[in-house]
Amino acid sequence: MKNPKDYITQNKDRFINELIELLKIPSVSADPAFSQDVLDASETIKTSLLEAGCDIAEIHETDGYPIVYGEKIIDPNLPTVLVYGHYDVQPADPLELWDSPPYEPVIKKTDLHPEGAIFARGSCDDKGQMYMHVKALEYMVKTDQLPCNVKFMIEGEEEVGSDNLGIYVANNKEKLANDIILISDTGMIANDVPSITTGLRGLSYVEVEVTGPNRDLHSGLYGGAVANPINILAKMIASLHDENNHITVAGFYDKVEELSSEERAEMAKAPFSLEDYQDALAIESVYGEKGYTTNERNSIRPTLDVNGIWGGYIGEGAKTVIASQAFAKISMRLVPHQDWEEITELFSSHFERIAPKGVTVKVTPHHGGQGYVTPIDTIGYKAASKAYETTFGKKPIPQRSGGSIPIVALFEKELESKTILMGFGLDSDAIHSPNEHFGVWNYLKGIETIPYFYQNFTEMKK
Amino acid sequence: MKNPKDYITQNKDRFINELIELLKIPSVSADPAFSQDVLDASETIKTSLLEAGCDIAEIHETDGYPIVYGEKIIDPNLPTVLVYGHYDVQPADPLELWDSPPYEPVIKKTDLHPEGAIFARGSCDDKGQMYMHVKALEYMVKTDQLPCNVKFMIEGEEEVGSDNLGIYVANNKEKLANDIILISDTGMIANDVPSITTGLRGLSYVEVEVTGPNRDLHSGLYGGAVANPINILAKMIASLHDENNHITVAGFYDKVEELSSEERAEMAKAPFSLEDYQDALAIESVYGEKGYTTNERNSIRPTLDVNGIWGGYIGEGAKTVIASQAFAKISMRLVPHQDWEEITELFSSHFERIAPKGVTVKVTPHHGGQGYVTPIDTIGYKAASKAYETTFGKKPIPQRSGGSIPIVALFEKELESKTILMGFGLDSDAIHSPNEHFGVWNYLKGIETIPYFYQNFTEMKK
């Protein structure tokens, strides 16, 4: 394969501008207020796939947001790569913490991105990373170097649990048949420390509701005499971790995969500075499960975090009220062998059991997904590793991620193929946070690296 | 004194309509969005005082919302009653729980108010109860029966801590000089069980802020590895009560007045049905400090309640975020001898001390006030008791309230006079809650009872 660098240099401005246009669409799947924008984003993706060289690109309706399907089949006897990505984004709030509006992309230099980074919601997760694949296809098609078949499946509900994608995949196994699935929706260690994600955590996301009295009460007249749902919720949440920060939900750890000391020693070799980590977050100390390091806590260990809490008077000033209800959104990151549906049930029954008399509790499961591990002795992994070696000049490190892409386990089950997670973002890119950004260097490096994967994979498959 | 009933019957519709007009003004002192409405309410009060018969009614500016001062001095040698009330109201949210809009008053019958109740924010607390005094004055002046001097001091910041009233009182001692202070901002046991409030709890209201990482984080990448401010806040709040629901803030109970077993036995004689109490709130069980009854817990015992909590993603759907910050509004009801400023300091240092490494904590005091006890062997109490006996046909029960009117202790200190708390609302009137209401019967009964207090007090003072 010819070095893609020349093509990328010639088309760099266009590549960036096309992504910027896509980022201007506030395709927030969690909030119905943005539903037209989510649909607009799907149309934009369809058009871009056709322009990049797909023979077919279609909007496939679901019960939720549509899936954009595209393909370029050059020879049924050649291997097929299925690219998965998503065009929906996380909500942007809290808006006041953004330095520039989330849907008005700007390029600014940062310490880690001296060549500039595009600041916008979705720049890294996942519009920017997904669009690398569209542009990599363009390069291969326009320069007549596509070595195999390619299919695209770009969904619009990843940030809300991919419920309809599961149904779509199960109903379209033949159409989606492939030899390997390629996803860029994870990160790498650093621009000079490339890595490939070999593990993902599973997820169980629930919402809990604690109801006490049938109406808000005056805290003077009733304070001290009835269960205050906020105090009770706080107490229940607090009890979900013990003094060693182990999770107390009965049965929670039963199926957790325990790594051998060799595996943990291998993990510990990844470059990591606790001081830098703490400095970057402006915290005095890390915090987590006793007996595990920071990198273990956020990758091979399951966790339980409150993602949102609300109840009572949260406006300006003071209101002396005892709220009738209090709410929290709680998510658990799971490790391989923990079944998310089983964990959701364990959580629900535990949470209902620990509610004191005087309140009632409701647990509503939101969504979830299984964890995943990619073996590193497969052709897919080796093809990716060699591609990074070519473009980064060094071998990438296999790394377990703490994040979740719930659909990956389902792909393996339904489509019987492995997934390779080639992520080019950095942990510090603030995905899901205000001021999300994606390095211009990383964006272009992804476009450069992906074609080598196609070449390596096709050759190794022969 | 002639029986006021005839005058009230003749003017009933006008009395109700005037109150309804006042209730249409959304004078929410806690929210700057309503500042013009708060000012409008003060003007309305001024006008109504003049129309009721005051010789002077003035708007007195403060650093916050103004105080409406009115007076009718008939003879400097006669006793003077100072009426205190407030024209500001609590915020109305959560708006969706109101059956009718909070500032569009409607009269509806309820089980406890078969003659109808006025539903509107402020109907009971305190516009309705305050306006009884304006109409009682009108009756006494128009029928030429006012037996003594009267002064009005109606403020607009009661719901946010009365900060400027304290300054105003300290600076206007001579103008406000009086023999007794009369307030209707409390409740009574039932329409057929009149009671006079003889004790109020003090209050310390604070806002707490827990800060972890310097930005919102992705819960997959950082979950389990850094202190989650919401989980930490929940844990800190949970630790503020022990397993017996005693408050754990060091030194909190040091100055708490412990009642004798005789006094507690006396209290236990007040009519109370635990079953009715629980049914009215739709709770299966009460909840509170071990060793005390419900009526003790909400009157003679100090409490700590979270009035509001928020942090992270609280919109629709799911967001897998670890919030940078979490917040709560916490109030403590205090009993006589607990000093609110000392308690606020004890709380602040306790809360800062229990914060784990990995987060920082900020405690911002909102406002507070001392508790208060009225002796029942004074002329003021006896004059009120006799007035109730005349209009209700039975002696009122002296009762400690769990609520707070922080300014009462200050009045005693600065003006050296006692306060009589003649409340005509019911605990079930939902003050500070959605669907606040005030019985039409109670409103008119207040107007009927108040003139007898003036008469009794003036005679007993001779």
Side-chain angles (χ1 to χ4, degrees):
Chain A
M1 183 174 295
K2 277 194 297 190
N3 192 323
K5 273 189 178 168
D6 286 350
Y7 188 87
I8 292 168
T9 305
Q10 282 159 27
N11 294 283
K12 178 183 160 180
D13 291 348
R14 180 172 57 82
F15 286 180
I16 292 170
N17 288 335
E18 285 177 19
L19 175 56
I20 282 176
E21 288 307 308
L22 180 60
L23 293 170
K24 286 180 182 172
I25 308 170
S27 48
V28 181
S29 51
D31 188 342
F34 295 99
S35 58
Q36 186 56 51
D37 300 297
V38 184
L39 297 174
D40 290 349
S42 71
E43 290 289 344
T44 302
I45 299 302
K46 179 190 147 187
T47 307
S48 68
L49 285 173
L50 289 171
E51 287 173 359
C54 278
D55 296 325
I56 294 171
E58 297 165 344
I59 302 279
H60 290 175
E61 297 300 332
T62 73
D63 283 348
Y65 290 116
I67 288 153
V68 185
Y69 174 81
E71 64 175 40
K72 177 144 189 102
I73 308 295
I74 56 171
D75 179 347
N77 297 315
L78 283 171
T80 299
V81 175
L82 173 65
V83 175
Y84 163 81
H86 61 95
Y87 61 83
D88 64 323
V89 299
Q90 280 276 314
D93 49 312
L95 282 173
E96 67 275 16
L97 295 184
W98 284 77
D99 295 328
S100 56
Y103 304 109
E104 298 174 22
V106 290
I107 297 177
K108 284 184 291 190
K109 289 179 184 176
T110 74
D111 287 349
L112 292 176
H113 296 297
E115 297 180 34
I118 304 171
F119 282 77
R121 169 56 82 228
S123 55
C124 182
D125 178 17
D126 180 47
K127 285 175 174 168
Q129 296 220 73
M130 175 267 292
Y131 208 69
M132 296 182 312
H133 290 272
V134 181
K135 295 298 102 180
L137 175 74
E138 176 191 313
Y139 166 67
M140 293 184 284
V141 171
K142 301 281 147 116
T143 60
D144 211 15
Q145 295 185 94
L146 183 66
C148 61
N149 304 309
V150 58
K151 296 175 178 174
F152 281 85
M153 175 171 65
I154 313 297
E155 71 152 322
E157 299 186 308
E158 199 270 348
E159 301 293 5
V160 290
S162 303
D163 280 351
N164 293 297
L165 184 69
I167 299 163
Y168 176 83
V169 168
N171 290 339
N172 291 279
K173 288 184 193 181
E174 208 166 320
K175 182 187 273 297
L176 300 171
N178 66 79
D179 297 282
I180 193 83
I181 297 167
L182 196 53
I183 303 179
S184 295
D185 197 16
T186 51
M188 59 180 187
I189 295 173
N191 284 2
D192 57 354
V193 187
S195 60
I196 295 176
T197 300
T198 54
L200 292 166
R201 288 197 282 193
L203 179 73
S204 166
Y205 199 113
V206 300
E207 189 162 319
V208 301
E209 178 184 306
V210 175
T211 304
N214 54 1
R215 58 188 166 89
D216 287 2
L217 299 175
H218 185 292
S219 74
L221 303 184
Y222 292 91
V226 298
N228 176 328
I230 303 178
N231 286 72
I232 298 295
L233 176 59
K235 200 169 172 161
M236 292 173 74
I237 289 170
S239 81
L240 297 174
H241 290 92
D242 69 14
E243 67 281 10
N244 294 319
N245 278 314
H246 293 305
I247 294 159
T248 59
V249 173
F252 187 82
Y253 290 101
D254 285 359
K255 296 185 179 170
V256 165
E257 175 201 50
E258 292 287 347
L259 267 65
S260 67
S261 46
E262 289 76 25
E263 286 173 294
R264 292 177 66 185
E266 195 58 36
M267 276 189 71
K269 288 182 185 162
F272 179 73
S273 157
L274 187 62
E275 204 185 331
D276 290 352
Y277 185 86
Q278 290 178 173
D279 284 354
L281 300 173
I283 52 176
E284 202 189 315
S285 172
V286 292
Y287 186 94
E289 191 183 5
K290 200 174 171 180
Y292 295 90
T293 66
T294 292
N295 275 338
E296 289 169 342
R297 286 169 176 169
N298 67 19
S299 63
I300 62 166
R301 298 299 297 170
T303 62
L304 185 153
D305 273 295
V306 182
N307 302 113
I309 192 165
W310 68 105
Y313 183 66
I314 62 177
E316 274 209 53
K319 186 176 175 187
T320 47
V321 69
I322 293 178
S324 169
Q325 294 192 298
F327 306 85
K329 293 178 196 267
I330 297 175
S331 68
M332 289 156 280
R333 297 283 172 172
L334 310 176
V335 295
H337 311 318
Q338 283 186 299
D339 178 82
W340 79 269
E341 286 176 314
E342 187 187 341
I343 291 290
T344 304
E345 273 173 36
L346 288 175
F347 177 88
S348 299
S349 51
H350 178 87
F351 205 73
E352 282 158 13
R353 196 166 55 242
I354 63 174
K357 273 189 183 179
V359 300
T360 54
V361 158
K362 194 173 133 195
V363 180
T364 309
H366 254 299
H367 66 276
Q370 312 297 20
Y372 183 73
V373 175
T374 300
I376 63 171
D377 57 0
T378 60
I379 290 175
Y381 184 84
K382 286 176 186 164
S385 181
K386 199 178 158 199
Y388 279 81
E389 227 181 318
T390 303
T391 58
F392 284 79
K394 59 173 83 169
K395 230 183 161 84
I397 295 172
Q399 191 203 26
R400 290 271 195 107
S401 163
S404 307
I405 311 180
I407 209 69
V408 170
L410 186 133
F411 290 163
E412 178 157 9
K413 184 172 157 245
E414 298 286 352
L415 303 178
E416 292 170 7
S417 51
K418 284 284 173 189
T419 292
I420 302 299
L421 298 158
M422 291 175 70
F424 293 88
L426 302 184
D427 279 2
S428 53
D429 285 348
I431 67 170
H432 292 211
S433 302
N435 302 313
E436 177 179 352
H437 54 282
F438 187 34
V440 169
W441 184 89
N442 302 65
Y443 177 53
L444 301 176
K445 199 53 135 182
I447 301 173
E448 181 189 343
T449 307
I450 290 163
Y452 287 108
F453 171 82
Y454 282 74
Q455 184 187 35
N456 299 340
F457 184 74
T458 308
E459 278 172 11
M460 290 176 182
K461 260 300 229 190
K462 271 176 191 164
Chain B
M1 183 174 295
K2 276 194 300 191
N3 192 324
K5 272 189 179 167
D6 287 349
Y7 188 87
I8 292 170
T9 305
Q10 284 158 25
N11 295 283
K12 179 182 159 181
D13 291 347
R14 180 173 56 81
F15 285 180
I16 292 170
N17 288 335
E18 285 177 17
L19 175 56
I20 282 177
E21 288 307 308
L22 180 59
L23 292 171
K24 288 181 181 172
I25 307 170
S27 47
V28 181
S29 51
D31 187 342
F34 295 98
S35 58
Q36 185 56 49
D37 301 297
V38 184
L39 296 174
D40 289 350
S42 71
E43 290 290 342
T44 302
I45 299 302
K46 179 189 147 188
T47 306
S48 69
L49 285 173
L50 289 170
E51 286 172 0
C54 277
D55 295 326
I56 293 173
E58 297 165 343
I59 303 277
H60 289 176
E61 299 299 333
T62 72
D63 282 347
Y65 290 116
I67 288 154
V68 185
Y69 175 81
E71 64 174 42
K72 177 143 189 106
I73 308 294
I74 57 171
D75 180 346
N77 296 317
L78 284 169
T80 299
V81 175
L82 173 64
V83 174
Y84 162 82
H86 61 96
Y87 62 83
D88 63 324
V89 299
Q90 279 276 314
D93 50 310
L95 281 173
E96 67 275 14
L97 295 184
W98 284 77
D99 295 329
S100 56
Y103 304 109
E104 296 174 23
V106 291
I107 297 177
K108 284 184 292 190
K109 288 179 185 176
T110 73
D111 287 350
L112 292 176
H113 297 297
E115 296 181 35
I118 305 172
F119 283 76
R121 169 56 83 229
S123 55
C124 182
D125 177 17
D126 179 47
K127 285 174 175 168
Q129 295 220 73
M130 176 267 292
Y131 208 69
M132 296 182 313
H133 289 271
V134 181
K135 294 298 102 180
L137 174 74
E138 175 191 313
Y139 166 68
M140 293 185 282
V141 172
K142 303 280 149 123
T143 58
D144 213 15
Q145 295 184 94
L146 183 66
C148 61
N149 306 310
V150 58
K151 296 175 178 175
F152 282 84
M153 174 172 64
I154 313 297
E155 71 152 322
E157 298 185 309
E158 199 270 348
E159 301 294 3
V160 290
S162 302
D163 281 352
N164 293 298
L165 184 68
I167 299 162
Y168 177 81
V169 169
N171 290 339
N172 291 278
K173 289 184 191 180
E174 207 167 319
K175 181 186 275 295
L176 300 171
N178 65 80
D179 297 282
I180 194 83
I181 297 168
L182 195 53
I183 304 180
S184 294
D185 196 16
T186 49
M188 60 180 186
I189 295 173
N191 284 1
D192 57 354
V193 187
S195 60
I196 295 176
T197 300
T198 54
L200 291 168
R201 288 197 282 192
L203 179 72
S204 165
Y205 199 113
V206 300
E207 190 162 319
V208 300
E209 178 185 305
V210 174
T211 304
N214 53 1
R215 58 189 167 89
D216 286 3
L217 299 175
H218 185 292
S219 73
L221 303 184
Y222 292 91
V226 298
N228 176 328
I230 302 178
N231 287 72
I232 297 295
L233 175 60
K235 200 169 173 161
M236 292 173 73
I237 288 170
S239 80
L240 296 173
H241 289 92
D242 69 14
E243 67 282 9
N244 293 319
N245 279 313
H246 292 306
I247 294 158
T248 59
V249 174
F252 187 82
Y253 290 101
D254 285 0
K255 296 186 180 169
V256 165
E257 174 202 51
E258 292 286 348
L259 267 67
S260 67
S261 47
E262 290 75 24
E263 286 173 294
R264 292 176 66 183
E266 196 58 36
M267 274 190 72
K269 288 181 186 163
F272 179 74
S273 156
L274 188 61
E275 203 184 332
D276 290 352
Y277 185 85
Q278 291 179 171
D279 284 354
L281 301 174
I283 52 177
E284 202 189 316
S285 172
V286 292
Y287 185 95
E289 190 183 6
K290 200 173 171 181
Y292 295 91
T293 67
T294 292
N295 274 337
E296 289 170 342
R297 287 168 176 170
N298 66 21
S299 64
I300 61 164
R301 297 298 296 170
T303 62
L304 184 153
D305 273 296
V306 181
N307 302 113
I309 192 166
W310 69 103
Y313 183 67
I314 62 177
E316 274 211 52
K319 188 176 173 188
T320 47
V321 69
I322 292 176
S324 169
Q325 293 192 298
F327 306 85
K329 293 178 196 267
I330 297 175
S331 68
M332 289 156 281
R333 297 284 172 172
L334 310 177
V335 295
H337 310 318
Q338 283 185 299
D339 178 82
W340 79 270
E341 285 175 316
E342 187 186 341
I343 292 290
T344 304
E345 272 172 37
L346 288 175
F347 177 88
S348 300
S349 50
H350 178 87
F351 205 73
E352 282 158 13
R353 195 167 54 243
I354 63 174
K357 273 188 183 180
V359 301
T360 54
V361 157
K362 194 172 133 194
V363 180
T364 309
H366 254 301
H367 64 277
Q370 311 297 21
Y372 183 73
V373 176
T374 300
I376 64 173
D377 56 1
T378 60
I379 290 175
Y381 184 84
K382 287 176 185 164
S385 181
K386 199 178 159 201
Y388 279 82
E389 226 181 320
T390 303
T391 58
F392 284 78
K394 57 174 83 170
K395 226 184 166 83
I397 296 172
Q399 192 203 26
R400 290 272 195 108
S401 162
S404 307
I405 310 179
I407 209 70
V408 171
L410 186 133
F411 289 163
E412 178 157 10
K413 184 173 157 243
E414 298 287 351
L415 303 177
E416 290 169 7
S417 52
K418 284 283 173 190
T419 293
I420 301 298
L421 298 159
M422 291 175 69
F424 294 88
L426 301 184
D427 277 3
S428 53
D429 285 348
I431 66 169
H432 291 211
S433 301
N435 303 313
E436 176 178 352
H437 55 281
F438 187 35
V440 170
W441 184 89
N442 302 66
Y443 176 54
L444 301 175
K445 198 53 134 182
I447 300 171
E448 180 188 344
T449 307
I450 291 162
Y452 287 108
F453 171 82
Y454 282 74
Q455 184 186 38
N456 299 339
F457 185 75
T458 308
E459 280 173 9
M460 291 177 183
K461 262 299 232 191
K462 271 174 192 163

